[in-house]
Amino acid sequence: MAGAWTEIGSVDGTAYGVYLKVANKSLVWYNDDLFAETGAVPPETWEDFVGLSEDLADVGIPPLSIAGADGWVLTDWFENVYLQTAGPEMYDKLAAHEIPWTDPSVEVALETLAEVWGQEQLMLGGGDGSLQTDFPTSVVNVYSDDPDAAMVVGADFIGGVVTASTNADVGGVAQVFPFPHVGGEGEAVVVAGDAAVAMTDGEATMELLRFLATEEAAREWAAIGGFVSPNRNLTADDYADPVLGQVAEQIVLAGDSVRFDLSDLQPAAFGATVGDGMWQTLQDFLADPSDVEGTMERLEDEAARAHGE
Amino acid sequence: MTAPRETPAWRRLFGPATLFLLPALLFLGVFLAYPALYSVVRSLFDASGSQFVGLGNYTRMFTDDRTLVAIRNTGIWVLVAPALVTGLGLVFAVLTERVRWATAFRVLLFMPMAISLFASGIIFRLVYDENPDRGVVNAAVVTVHDVFASPSEYPGARPRGDELAEDTALGGFTTTRAYTVGEAAALPLVGIRPSEMPEQAAPAAVPDAAEGTIEGVVWLDIALGGEPGTVDDGENGMPRMTIEALKDGQVAATTTSGDDGRFTLTGLDQGEYEIHLTADNFTAPFRGLTWLGPTLVTPVIISSWVWIMTGFAITFIAAGLAAIPRDALEAARVDGATEWQVFRKITIPLLGPLLLVVFVTLMINVLKIFDLVFVIAPGSVQADASVVALRMWQVSFGAGGNQGLGSALVVLLLVLVLPIMYFNIRRFRRERS
């Protein structure tokens, strides 16, 4: 496990928990049938991603389905772009509100986002239609029997929605590629996860935690499925599901460049409230992606208030 | 004779009457008076509850944009919803009064009351879904619309390259340069899925220039591996496109493209013309209205509340109608009053007090509306649809827990209810006397 994970499980340098089950939030899910039909290949860089989206729009397939009605979907977009354009150190500073949201790095990230959000034909239903789409619907739009869009950006748990709500199968029609690289920052992954936390330091407790963190325990669970481990000794082959193997590999490759979901690190008023804070401001930004300046100011206002400054 | 002994003051205060009242007083005090008073006190302190901020929370309440929207929306609700429901209830009650299956009708109309507001909210969120494949309202609107206006052939198509540009004056697309008569034009378009092209579309070919006409081709320039802007193998023409020749913004000739996308503009004088693809080739299909968007969401939620509450109003008003003395109505009819006059001059005045009760009850109900708004409005428009009760919950528990500001909002709700309460109490008194 990379050192970044120990840090996420620690408070003021004391380790309290072991991250053993993690979620990869830096993925783009695509409909392989539509990709095959158009000859599209998964892009690696942001330029390729935008280019591919434009090509798909040219052949009459709306490239992206975005669940703009759910603010957290938009914060995930932002976090991925920001982590890539500004790098992990700046990401930590912004998460702790050590730099303001009016920082130039935020402007770069928002302008990068606007390259996609500003082009109506790249989003199913345009910006307004996206704002009416909730998360499960956005997934169904891509994987229904008569798909309306080719890609949906989101975490590995989209696989669960695909299995539950559509006839598509994960690994077949439903495939993933890593969130495209923006600039030359290399692998970086936005994550979330479940930690095993010790409430006492009894011998048995410690032994259990130690075991859960081992390669042996992780391999056991990975073979069953529905599980992604941050353990770097596991390879894609250890996973029952090839898509999850790919997802896990991406996390391990990112090493110390994994960062916990930024909005989840904010006070709830700013990072996790319907109609407020980051959620609402990014929704407003999706409705009008030309207003980078105003968006930054509003984000800073609300962040300052929520952080009690 | 001794004068009757006066009850001592202490016995009057702590006598049996007081003892019997005590439990009730205790309950009222603990569960009603104390929380109400504490809310007022709490509203004077900051989020943590330790810092006295005076009227700070109230100032913030009336300067914060999102709270102001909530207050405005509550205002709309109070003005529109109770009156609408009372009116509809009256109409339905009177209309169903002398129908043979009156009870069946009323049971039907009352049924929504049996569903929880939350569940109704989920239903209405689906009913008003923007996608006509899911939302029944938009499905109906689109069906009706398409009866009168057929959808265009190439919605969403757009030009590739610099050959054509959007025409801001006429709509559709116009060439960026002028063509001389005798020249040939190749106009590439993209944005249509090949599988959605008209069936008769045939492979495109660039026409040869011909004397006295402008020849041209409009085609879908999207073959894999093809070169943008040139007609490649496997690229089809776009049939039935309406094409015009423009001179100084005036239409000089009109034609329609053939199956292979070729067109010929004839009857032109010598000179230069721009080629215009008319807007009706590209009209996006009508997809209905964004019911749950920022502008319509409040009326939509009010309409669902009306659907739910009308049954309530009907039941009360129908009961009131049954109690109206028949002879008054009969007398009026014998005297030659029309049904409308009977309704206006006899029924409504006799029902007056009851209508008022229904109206006031609904008003109180509307002031605390919460769940419908919470469920129906998509996350992105919840701030636009917000009402005071929802904002209060969000501020105090949903977001960061500022119960100071939350309490201020509660006090505002209380202040809004007070006049209604006062009115109610006065009416009760009058009825008793």
Side-chain angles (χ1 to χ4, degrees), chain A residues 131-275:
Chain A
L131 286 170
Q132 291 282 312
T133 309
D134 58 19
F135 171 66
T137 310
S138 75
V139 178
V140 173
N141 283 340
V142 176
Y143 295 113
S144 66
D145 295 336
D146 183 18
D148 294 316
M151 298 183 277
V152 54
V153 171
D156 48 18
F157 52 73
I158 281 186
V161 185
V162 173
T163 314
S165 317
T166 73
N167 295 325
D169 55 327
V170 176
V173 175
Q175 305 244 14
V176 296
F177 60 83
F179 195 88
H181 292 182
V182 196
E185 285 288 339
E187 298 288 346
V189 177
V190 176
V191 293
D194 300 311
V197 177
M199 296 296 179
T200 66
D201 50 4
E203 201 181 318
T205 314
M206 287 303 158
E207 200 54 43
L208 174 67
L209 281 195
R210 213 165 287 132
F211 171 73
L212 287 174
T214 60
E215 190 186 329
E216 188 194 350
R219 189 162 286 144
E220 195 84 18
W221 200 347
I224 302 171
F227 170 79
V228 173
S229 166
N231 194 311
R232 63 179 131 198
N233 294 328
L234 262 66
T235 64
D237 297 335
D238 289 320
Y239 288 86
D241 177 340
V243 171
L244 281 190
Q246 195 185 338
V247 164
E249 206 168 46
Q250 189 195 346
I251 293 180
V252 173
L253 272 180
D256 278 335
S257 292
V258 294
R259 283 297 177 274
F260 205 82
D261 190 315
L262 185 140
S263 61
D264 290 344
L265 298 172
Q266 304 301 310
F270 182 60
T273 302
V274 176

Side-chain angles (χ1 to χ4, degrees), chain A residues 263-281 298-299 301-308, chain B residues 47 60 66 391 394-402:
Chain A
S263 61
D264 290 344
L265 298 172
Q266 304 301 310
F270 182 60
T273 302
V274 176
D276 245 321
M278 255 179 115
W279 288 18
Q280 183 70 39
T281 312
R298 247 169 302 143
L299 282 168
D301 273 359
E302 308 223 358
R305 196 188 298 167
H307 281 270
Chain B
R60 196 166 142 198
R66 288 182 185 143
R391 186 74 193 145
Q394 253 178 358
V395 164
S396 10
F397 308 105
N402 186 347

Side-chain angles (χ1 to χ4, degrees), chain A residues 89-114:
Chain A
E89 284 77 33
M90 291 296 274
Y91 186 95
D92 289 340
K93 283 186 192 156
L94 186 66
H97 205 221
E98 283 163 14
I99 51 169
W101 284 80
T102 44
D103 191 83
S105 63
V106 178
E107 188 177 355
V108 171
L110 287 176
E111 271 166 1
T112 309
L113 272 181

Side-chain angles (χ1 to χ4, degrees), chain B residues 57-64 67-68 71 412:
Chain B
N57 284 325
Y58 293 91
T59 343
R60 196 166 142 198
M61 182 166 85
F62 287 110
T63 48
D64 176 46
T67 311
L68 281 178
I71 294 173
L412 173 71

